[in-house]
Amino acid sequence: MGSTRIPVTVRNPGDPPRSWRGRFLVDTGAIDSVVPESVLREIGMRPQRVRRYELADGTIRDFGIATGELEILGEMVGVTVIFGADGAEPLLGCTALESAGFEVDPVSETLRKLPAVRLKAIA
């Protein structure tokens, strides 16, 4: 399978007019989304805490995280964003993707809107 990149807008939830739009690599192997730290700071976001992550090569690293708003193909979701290295490629993790109601079509390598966001039965 190739790679899927889509435009995503990141908004500061405390000051929504402050935003940044970029092309994100859809990464179904990542839980959270990555945005370069310089971009997040430019829109007024600061790390709220530190979380430990395992990278694809098995390396363990601590990163600053915060809650941000992502607009994905017209859908707005609040998710954890990782303060990535400056120059890092923005990554759209599966939490944001699924919360916005999308899945990756592996044949066309595009996003497909689900008819409804998946939810387990509520008793």
Side-chain angles (χ1 to χ4, degrees), residues 2 5 28 30-31 39-40 45-46 51 54 57 59 65 69 73 79 82 87 90 104 112 118-119:
R5 288 178 173 78
T28 58
I31 301 298
V39 168
L40 293 172
M45 293 181 64
R46 301 290 179 262
R51 181 175 289 164
E54 180 179 358
D57 67 0
T59 304
I65 61 169
E69 292 180 353
L73 303 175
V79 296
I82 300 168
V104 176
R112 178 174 44 219
R118 294 182 177 128
L119 180 66

Side-chain angles (χ1 to χ4, degrees), residues 72 75-79 93-102 113 117:
I72 306 162
E75 296 291 332
M76 183 70 74
V77 293
V79 296
C94 64
T95 301
L97 190 67
E98 291 175 1
S99 292
F102 292 98
K113 182 75 173 146
V117 175

Side-chain angles (χ1 to χ4, degrees), residues 6-17:
I6 61 165
V8 174
T9 300
V10 181
R11 287 194 176 83
N12 178 338
D15 190 0

Side-chain angles (χ1 to χ4, degrees), residues 46-113:
R46 301 290 179 262
Q48 297 168 328
R49 61 189 174 283
V50 172
R51 181 175 289 164
R52 182 160 288 168
Y53 288 90
E54 180 179 358
L55 305 181
D57 67 0
T59 304
I60 304 293
R61 279 201 47 204
D62 292 338
F63 290 94
I65 61 169
T67 301
E69 292 180 353
L70 301 185
E71 184 177 340
I72 306 162
L73 303 175
E75 296 291 332
M76 183 70 74
V77 293
V79 296
T80 298
V81 291
I82 300 168
F83 285 67
D86 290 339
E89 179 172 27
L91 299 178
L92 184 64
C94 64
T95 301
L97 190 67
E98 291 175 1
S99 292
F102 292 98
E103 66 183 2
V104 176
D105 181 333
V107 175
S108 67
E109 297 177 0
T110 59
L111 294 187
R112 178 174 44 219
K113 182 75 173 146

